[in-house]
């Protein structure tokens, strides 16, 4: 009786495409959907960029290494304990937890989120579920095949103070159109001046120009002193899709603020899926980078 009136949920184009691909019986079928490629031996392809990266800290702690990979080995904010990091259920779990944190645990946070379109299809449903008002602007100019920079700037200039901007740090999904370093610098300046909040998603670090170059935006924003969230996925770059390995980092202004944000994240994780499983699947991968 209660469930009788439940309508079907909104269709998901990706899900239907996957269903059709799964049932396709073509003998030469190749599934490129999940963004994890296998080599001739059927093993996950390891990226050179990752193999070359060394975490010379002598520290095998997963979260510490994950933070160093995205923020840089010598990031001052890490030294000063200004970053609250938690393990998440991959990149998607990081975006979800980040949205929950901003919605429920940060009293001063705005309820308005900006997303440049086209975008990864999960941002809008996740932020709407968390109670945000999602506004869109044009990220991509089809006629030039590049970022619609004027539209990006216009969105930033017209957004109410405190608005959240979802930013893909590299390898933009689905357009592959990334901002240049100079554009990231301008954007950081604008975001800072206008009191906006950057919400970074980095799901492909190492798969664009290189592990360090792909994190330029995040590191620059940290360097100029912006608070932000960073959603990190190791699904594609470490070939750990099935294991759901990710992290959420909150860059704060002080170690005291970071401790409080970490505690709020602990609370949200406990209320959602109980615990983070740190150092189980992952430490061996990151240790060997
Ligand atoms: C831009 C972007 N962010 C986040 C994710 C989520 O990644 P994960 O598979 O680690 O949940 C994806 C996956 O396709 C993505 O393309």
């Amino acid at each position: 009786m209660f469930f009788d009136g439940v309508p079907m949920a909104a269709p998901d184009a990706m899900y239907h495409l996957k269903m059709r691909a799964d049932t396709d019986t073509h003998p030469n079928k190749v599934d490129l959907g999940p963004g994890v490629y296998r080599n001739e031996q059927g093993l996950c392809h390891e990226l050179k960029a990752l193999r070359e990266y060394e975490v010379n800290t002598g520290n095998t702690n997963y979260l510490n290494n994950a933070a160093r990979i995205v923020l840089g080995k010598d990031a001052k904010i890490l030294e000063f304990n200004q970053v609250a990091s938690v393990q998440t259920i991959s990149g998607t779990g990081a975006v979800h937890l980040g949205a929950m944190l901003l919605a429920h645990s940060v009293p001063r946070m705005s309820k308005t989120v900006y997303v440049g379109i086209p975008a990864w299809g999960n941002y809008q449903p996740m932020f709407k579920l968390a109670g945000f008002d999602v506004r869109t602007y044009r990220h991509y100019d089809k006629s030039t095949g590049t970022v619609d920079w004027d539209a990006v700037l216009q969105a930033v200039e017209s957004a109410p103070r405190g608005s959240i901007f979802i930013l893909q740090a590299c390898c933009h999904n689905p357009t592959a159109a990334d901002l240049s370093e100079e554009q990231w610098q301008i954007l950081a300046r604008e975001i800072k001046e206008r009191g906006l909040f950057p919400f970074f998603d980095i799901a492909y670090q190492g798969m664009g120009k290189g592990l360090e170059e792909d994190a330029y935006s995040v590191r620059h924003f940290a360097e100029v002193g912006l608070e932000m969230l960073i959603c990190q996925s190791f699904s594609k770059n470490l070939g750990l899709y099935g294991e759901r390995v990710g992290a959420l980092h909150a860059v704060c202004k002080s170690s005291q603020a970071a401790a409080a944000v970490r505690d709020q994240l602990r609370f949200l994780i406990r209320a959602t899926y109980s615990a983070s499983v740190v150092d189980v699947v992952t430490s061996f991968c990151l240790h060997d980078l």
Side-chain angles (χ1 to χ4, degrees):
M1 185 177 125
F2 287 104
F3 291 135
D4 283 351
V6 177
M8 297 292 276
D12 180 337
M14 282 294 287
Y15 177 77
H16 284 283
L17 187 65
K18 170 105 177 69
M19 294 271 282
R20 285 178 56 199
D22 286 349
T23 51
D24 188 333
T25 54
H26 195 286
N28 297 333
K29 179 173 84 173
V30 179
D31 183 0
L32 300 179
V36 176
Y37 305 127
R38 297 195 184 265
N39 59 23
E40 300 297 327
Q41 289 74 44
L43 301 170
C44 277
H45 179 67
E46 243 185 83
L47 290 164
K48 203 161 150 269
L50 278 169
R51 255 181 285 146
E52 281 174 357
Y53 191 80
E54 280 180 47
V55 183
N56 279 328
T57 60
N59 187 340
T60 59
N61 175 279
Y62 168 66
L63 287 171
N64 213 323
N65 281 344
R68 280 170 196 279
I69 286 169
V70 68
L71 287 161
K73 276 186 262 193
D74 305 317
K76 284 271 175 295
I77 45 173
L78 290 173
E79 227 171 89
F80 299 140
N81 292 322
Q82 280 172 243
V83 185
S85 300
V86 290
Q87 192 189 8
T88 55
I89 303 174
S90 218
T92 308
V95 176
H96 170 75
L97 191 64
M100 295 290 281
L101 178 81
L102 300 186
H104 299 295
S105 319
V106 187
R108 288 191 205 133
M109 192 53 67
S110 150
K111 287 284 176 282
T112 305
V113 175
Y114 280 75
V115 54
I117 51 169
W120 181 51
N122 238 344
Y123 295 133
Q124 294 207 42
M126 276 198 281
F127 275 88
K128 281 181 187 162
L129 263 185
F132 287 94
D133 168 28
V134 181
R135 299 187 189 173
T136 59
Y137 62 91
R138 239 165 62 123
H139 167 83
Y140 186 62
D141 183 347
K142 258 193 195 158
S143 64
T144 57
T146 57
V147 172
D148 190 337
W149 180 233
D150 288 344
V152 174
L153 279 184
Q154 221 243 313
V156 167
E157 282 162 13
S158 61
R161 224 178 155 72
S163 299
I164 300 157
F165 271 74
I166 300 175
L167 302 168
Q168 288 191 39
C170 64
C171 309
H172 186 270
N173 177 6
T175 68
D178 291 327
L179 272 64
S180 67
E181 292 191 359
E182 196 195 346
Q183 287 171 332
W184 281 121
Q185 288 164 17
I186 296 168
L187 195 67
R189 205 167 53 229
E190 291 291 324
I191 283 183
K192 196 169 181 186
E193 269 172 29
R194 293 169 191 282
L196 305 169
F197 184 84
F199 188 106
F200 271 105
D201 183 21
I202 182 157
Y204 300 91
Q205 189 182 353
M207 301 184 85
K209 291 186 179 146
L211 206 65
E212 309 294 338
E213 296 91 328
D214 289 352
Y216 175 82
S217 51
V218 174
R219 294 178 190 182
H220 178 72
F221 275 54
E223 258 166 38
V224 299
L226 277 158
E227 290 179 291
M228 62 184 156
L229 287 184
I230 308 161
C231 302
Q232 187 180 27
S233 166
F234 292 111
S235 297
K236 349 270 169 170
N237 54 9
L238 285 184
L240 290 172
Y241 217 98
E243 288 80 358
R244 315 309 290 138
V245 183
L248 176 67
H249 309 280
V251 175
C252 306
K253 291 264 191 216
S254 67
S255 58
Q256 289 90 332
V261 170
R262 194 178 298 112
D263 207 45
Q264 290 290 346
L265 289 168
R266 174 200 55 74
F267 172 84
L268 288 170
I269 288 171
R270 176 81 179 119
T272 321
Y273 49 91
S274 190
S276 291
V277 186
V278 178
D279 277 342
V280 178
V281 191
T282 47
S283 61
F284 81 95
C285 295
L286 294 167
H287 187 203
D288 291 341
L289 289 180

